[in-house]
Amino acid sequence: MTGFLDKAYKARDTASTRALYDDWATSYEAELAENGYATPVRCAEALKAHVTDMASPVLDFGCGTGLSGLALKHAGFTTIDGVDLSSEMLEQARTKGAYRQLDTVDADGAVPRGAYATMSAIGVIGAGAAPISVLHSLMRALQSGGKLVFSLNDHALEDPANEGAIAEWTDCGAARLVFKEHGPHLPGIDLSSTVYVIEKA
């Protein structure tokens, strides 16, 4: 079953992306589960390994139906706020009981500066989803010394600009890459992802 996955990795504008995810909301988890969605747990465990204060609020950017929030909660994070561009996805996330608050956000990733020392963007950045500019927005908003976990699937990794954006932060010393691991994303469709944890200087 790849009814929406076949459409998900095609580039589109924000309105079309919102419409796709609104339409996908009710069947999203079943489709991902059937294909073995592994990235949320991988990201949550990677972030846990590099964070000392598990009670510090986490911003789950692009939280979707809340699978990422559940993974963060199960890893031990206790205060999680979620934002997503799809109100229908957020309705599903509300049923999870993992979030302190949930809000809609535009795809450009405008986030209150300095409000969070811990952030996640799990399965968010790439063709058909959020642009790489989101990484810059999140890093600018992240507190000094804060950690951001995110993933780039194989489709996103095909565009060198995506890893290039990471280098823009790490090469000049504005941030440090503390974790990077390639592994399963959606094994049911033979798709992998790389998980990264970046620490802001």
Side-chain angles (χ1 to χ4, degrees):
M1 181 175 68
T2 58
F4 282 91
L5 280 173
D6 289 340
K7 306 171 187 175
Y9 301 120
K10 297 174 182 175
R12 66 184 71 81
D13 60 28
T14 298
S16 299
T17 298
R18 180 179 284 112
L20 171 74
Y21 282 91
D22 281 346
D23 291 345
W24 195 4
T26 56
S27 62
Y28 178 83
E29 292 186 20
E31 189 167 348
L32 292 189
E34 185 164 307
N35 289 286
Y37 191 32
T39 295
V41 170
R42 293 178 55 220
C43 284
E45 291 299 324
L47 186 62
K48 177 182 180 179
H50 293 90
V51 169
T52 54
D53 182 5
M54 300 295 284
S56 177
V58 181
L59 178 67
D60 184 17
F61 184 89
C63 65
T65 63
L67 293 177
S68 48
L70 274 181
L72 291 164
K73 181 180 179 181
H74 290 154
F77 293 95
T78 59
T79 310
I80 307 163
D81 296 334
V83 295
D84 198 90
L85 58 77
S86 167
S87 57
E88 295 296 325
M89 287 277 187
L90 289 173
E91 285 304 312
Q92 299 292 323
R94 284 191 178 90
T95 68
K96 299 296 189 294
Y99 293 97
R100 176 177 67 173
Q101 61 187 40
L102 289 161
D103 295 292
T104 55
V105 70
D106 288 331
D108 63 4
V111 174
R113 196 172 292 240
Y116 295 92
T118 314
M119 295 183 183
S120 65
I122 298 171
V124 170
I125 298 169
I132 191 59
S133 60
V134 163
L135 174 67
H136 298 302
S137 296
L138 294 178
M139 287 299 293
R140 284 192 292 268
L142 189 65
Q143 290 180 14
S144 179
K147 310 288 195 314
L148 167 67
V149 65
F150 64 100
S151 61
L152 297 175
N153 67 35
D154 288 341
H155 296 302
L157 290 167
E158 289 172 1
D159 184 350
N162 289 329
E163 283 209 306
I166 301 170
E168 287 182 41
W169 286 90
T170 58
D171 288 356
C172 67
R176 184 170 65 99
L177 182 64
V178 297
F179 180 87
K180 177 180 178 181
E181 180 186 72
H182 196 66
H185 177 59
L186 288 165
I189 56 172
D190 197 27
L191 192 65
S192 297
S193 65
T194 298
V195 170
Y196 308 82
V197 178
I198 291 186
E199 179 182 58
K200 187 175 180 180

PDB file of all heavy atoms in Angstrom, residues 21-35:
ATOM      1  N   TYR A  21      -1.246  16.537   2.729  1.00  0.00           N
ATOM      2  CA  TYR A  21      -1.166  15.981   4.074  1.00  0.00           C
ATOM      3  C   TYR A  21      -2.514  16.027   4.790  1.00  0.00           C
ATOM      4  O   TYR A  21      -2.812  15.144   5.609  1.00  0.00           O
ATOM      5  CB  TYR A  21      -0.055  16.663   4.870  1.00  0.00           C
ATOM      6  CG  TYR A  21       1.312  16.140   4.474  1.00  0.00           C
ATOM      7  CD1 TYR A  21       2.056  16.749   3.472  1.00  0.00           C
ATOM      8  CD2 TYR A  21       1.828  15.000   5.076  1.00  0.00           C
ATOM      9  CE1 TYR A  21       3.293  16.235   3.079  1.00  0.00           C
ATOM     10  CE2 TYR A  21       3.062  14.482   4.704  1.00  0.00           C
ATOM     11  CZ  TYR A  21       3.787  15.109   3.697  1.00  0.00           C
ATOM     12  OH  TYR A  21       4.998  14.597   3.316  1.00  0.00           O
ATOM     13  N   ASP A  22      -3.346  17.022   4.492  1.00  0.00           N
ATOM     14  CA  ASP A  22      -4.708  17.015   5.026  1.00  0.00           C
ATOM     15  C   ASP A  22      -5.461  15.778   4.541  1.00  0.00           C
ATOM     16  O   ASP A  22      -6.122  15.089   5.320  1.00  0.00           O
ATOM     17  CB  ASP A  22      -5.467  18.278   4.583  1.00  0.00           C
ATOM     18  CG  ASP A  22      -5.112  19.508   5.412  1.00  0.00           C
ATOM     19  OD1 ASP A  22      -4.496  19.355   6.490  1.00  0.00           O
ATOM     20  OD2 ASP A  22      -5.463  20.627   4.982  1.00  0.00           O
ATOM     21  N   ASP A  23      -5.357  15.486   3.253  1.00  0.00           N
ATOM     22  CA  ASP A  23      -6.053  14.334   2.672  1.00  0.00           C
ATOM     23  C   ASP A  23      -5.500  13.006   3.190  1.00  0.00           C
ATOM     24  O   ASP A  23      -6.227  12.010   3.290  1.00  0.00           O
ATOM     25  CB  ASP A  23      -5.949  14.359   1.140  1.00  0.00           C
ATOM     26  CG  ASP A  23      -6.755  15.491   0.517  1.00  0.00           C
ATOM     27  OD1 ASP A  23      -7.612  16.071   1.210  1.00  0.00           O
ATOM     28  OD2 ASP A  23      -6.492  15.813  -0.655  1.00  0.00           O
ATOM     29  N   TRP A  24      -4.203  13.000   3.497  1.00  0.00           N
ATOM     30  CA  TRP A  24      -3.507  11.777   3.904  1.00  0.00           C
ATOM     31  C   TRP A  24      -3.708  11.455   5.384  1.00  0.00           C
ATOM     32  O   TRP A  24      -3.460  10.335   5.838  1.00  0.00           O
ATOM     33  CB  TRP A  24      -2.016  11.949   3.598  1.00  0.00           C
ATOM     34  CG  TRP A  24      -1.180  10.723   3.598  1.00  0.00           C
ATOM     35  CD1 TRP A  24      -1.578   9.421   3.757  1.00  0.00           C
ATOM     36  CD2 TRP A  24       0.238  10.671   3.421  1.00  0.00           C
ATOM     37  NE1 TRP A  24      -0.486   8.569   3.688  1.00  0.00           N
ATOM     38  CE2 TRP A  24       0.638   9.314   3.481  1.00  0.00           C
ATOM     39  CE3 TRP A  24       1.214  11.647   3.205  1.00  0.00           C
ATOM     40  CZ2 TRP A  24       1.962   8.920   3.348  1.00  0.00           C
ATOM     41  CZ3 TRP A  24       2.540  11.253   3.068  1.00  0.00           C
ATOM     42  CH2 TRP A  24       2.905   9.911   3.136  1.00  0.00           C
ATOM     43  N   ALA A  25      -4.180  12.431   6.161  1.00  0.00           N
ATOM     44  CA  ALA A  25      -4.131  12.339   7.624  1.00  0.00           C
ATOM     45  C   ALA A  25      -4.725  11.047   8.177  1.00  0.00           C
ATOM     46  O   ALA A  25      -4.149  10.417   9.072  1.00  0.00           O
ATOM     47  CB  ALA A  25      -4.829  13.551   8.245  1.00  0.00           C
ATOM     48  N   THR A  26      -5.881  10.633   7.656  1.00  0.00           N
ATOM     49  CA  THR A  26      -6.557   9.483   8.257  1.00  0.00           C
ATOM     50  C   THR A  26      -5.905   8.149   7.922  1.00  0.00           C
ATOM     51  O   THR A  26      -6.053   7.177   8.677  1.00  0.00           O
ATOM     52  CB  THR A  26      -8.040   9.440   7.839  1.00  0.00           C
ATOM     53  OG1 THR A  26      -8.119   9.426   6.413  1.00  0.00           O
ATOM     54  CG2 THR A  26      -8.789  10.647   8.389  1.00  0.00           C
ATOM     55  N   SER A  27      -5.183   8.067   6.813  1.00  0.00           N
ATOM     56  CA  SER A  27      -4.557   6.792   6.431  1.00  0.00           C
ATOM     57  C   SER A  27      -3.035   6.803   6.568  1.00  0.00           C
ATOM     58  O   SER A  27      -2.367   5.799   6.308  1.00  0.00           O
ATOM     59  CB  SER A  27      -4.916   6.440   4.980  1.00  0.00           C
ATOM     60  OG  SER A  27      -4.419   7.430   4.086  1.00  0.00           O
ATOM     61  N   TYR A  28      -2.487   7.940   6.986  1.00  0.00           N
ATOM     62  CA  TYR A  28      -1.034   8.154   7.042  1.00  0.00           C
ATOM     63  C   TYR A  28      -0.323   7.082   7.886  1.00  0.00           C
ATOM     64  O   TYR A  28       0.629   6.446   7.440  1.00  0.00           O
ATOM     65  CB  TYR A  28      -0.784   9.548   7.621  1.00  0.00           C
ATOM     66  CG  TYR A  28       0.654   9.943   7.816  1.00  0.00           C
ATOM     67  CD1 TYR A  28       1.412  10.457   6.768  1.00  0.00           C
ATOM     68  CD2 TYR A  28       1.250   9.856   9.076  1.00  0.00           C
ATOM     69  CE1 TYR A  28       2.725  10.854   6.959  1.00  0.00           C
ATOM     70  CE2 TYR A  28       2.566  10.249   9.277  1.00  0.00           C
ATOM     71  CZ  TYR A  28       3.292  10.747   8.212  1.00  0.00           C
ATOM     72  OH  TYR A  28       4.595  11.142   8.415  1.00  0.00           O
ATOM     73  N   GLU A  29      -0.808   6.890   9.096  1.00  0.00           N
ATOM     74  CA  GLU A  29      -0.100   5.975   9.998  1.00  0.00           C
ATOM     75  C   GLU A  29      -0.165   4.531   9.516  1.00  0.00           C
ATOM     76  O   GLU A  29       0.814   3.798   9.628  1.00  0.00           O
ATOM     77  CB  GLU A  29      -0.658   6.109  11.410  1.00  0.00           C
ATOM     78  CG  GLU A  29      -0.329   7.459  12.021  1.00  0.00           C
ATOM     79  CD  GLU A  29      -0.755   7.562  13.470  1.00  0.00           C
ATOM     80  OE1 GLU A  29      -0.962   6.516  14.118  1.00  0.00           O
ATOM     81  OE2 GLU A  29      -0.860   8.700  13.952  1.00  0.00           O
ATOM     82  N   ALA A  30      -1.305   4.131   8.967  1.00  0.00           N
ATOM     83  CA  ALA A  30      -1.427   2.761   8.465  1.00  0.00           C
ATOM     84  C   ALA A  30      -0.473   2.529   7.301  1.00  0.00           C
ATOM     85  O   ALA A  30       0.182   1.474   7.218  1.00  0.00           O
ATOM     86  CB  ALA A  30      -2.864   2.487   8.028  1.00  0.00           C
ATOM     87  N   GLU A  31      -0.358   3.524   6.427  1.00  0.00           N
ATOM     88  CA  GLU A  31       0.522   3.374   5.266  1.00  0.00           C
ATOM     89  C   GLU A  31       1.979   3.310   5.697  1.00  0.00           C
ATOM     90  O   GLU A  31       2.764   2.482   5.208  1.00  0.00           O
ATOM     91  CB  GLU A  31       0.294   4.525   4.285  1.00  0.00           C
ATOM     92  CG  GLU A  31       1.000   4.321   2.959  1.00  0.00           C
ATOM     93  CD  GLU A  31       0.542   5.276   1.873  1.00  0.00           C
ATOM     94  OE1 GLU A  31      -0.486   5.957   2.051  1.00  0.00           O
ATOM     95  OE2 GLU A  31       1.232   5.318   0.840  1.00  0.00           O
ATOM     96  N   LEU A  32       2.361   4.173   6.640  1.00  0.00           N
ATOM     97  CA  LEU A  32       3.746   4.151   7.108  1.00  0.00           C
ATOM     98  C   LEU A  32       4.046   2.885   7.907  1.00  0.00           C
ATOM     99  O   LEU A  32       5.120   2.297   7.770  1.00  0.00           O
ATOM    100  CB  LEU A  32       4.041   5.390   7.957  1.00  0.00           C
ATOM    101  CG  LEU A  32       4.040   6.727   7.216  1.00  0.00           C
ATOM    102  CD1 LEU A  32       4.552   7.832   8.126  1.00  0.00           C
ATOM    103  CD2 LEU A  32       4.877   6.679   5.943  1.00  0.00           C
ATOM    104  N   ALA A  33       3.093   2.458   8.733  1.00  0.00           N
ATOM    105  CA  ALA A  33       3.303   1.245   9.527  1.00  0.00           C
ATOM    106  C   ALA A  33       3.494   0.030   8.622  1.00  0.00           C
ATOM    107  O   ALA A  33       4.342  -0.826   8.892  1.00  0.00           O
ATOM    108  CB  ALA A  33       2.119   1.023  10.466  1.00  0.00           C
ATOM    109  N   GLU A  34       2.717  -0.025   7.547  1.00  0.00           N
ATOM    110  CA  GLU A  34       2.826  -1.156   6.627  1.00  0.00           C
ATOM    111  C   GLU A  34       4.208  -1.207   5.982  1.00  0.00           C
ATOM    112  O   GLU A  34       4.685  -2.274   5.598  1.00  0.00           O
ATOM    113  CB  GLU A  34       1.737  -1.052   5.549  1.00  0.00           C
ATOM    114  CG  GLU A  34       1.710  -2.252   4.614  1.00  0.00           C
ATOM    115  CD  GLU A  34       0.412  -2.324   3.823  1.00  0.00           C
ATOM    116  OE1 GLU A  34      -0.662  -2.298   4.447  1.00  0.00           O
ATOM    117  OE2 GLU A  34       0.490  -2.412   2.593  1.00  0.00           O
ATOM    118  N   ASN A  35       4.855  -0.042   5.896  1.00  0.00           N
ATOM    119  CA  ASN A  35       6.179   0.018   5.279  1.00  0.00           C
ATOM    120  C   ASN A  35       7.314   0.145   6.293  1.00  0.00           C
ATOM    121  O   ASN A  35       8.451   0.418   5.931  1.00  0.00           O
ATOM    122  CB  ASN A  35       6.216   1.170   4.262  1.00  0.00           C
ATOM    123  CG  ASN A  35       5.383   0.860   3.032  1.00  0.00           C
ATOM    124  OD1 ASN A  35       5.781   0.060   2.197  1.00  0.00           O
ATOM    125  ND2 ASN A  35       4.201   1.459   2.937  1.00  0.00           N
TER     126      ASN A  35
END
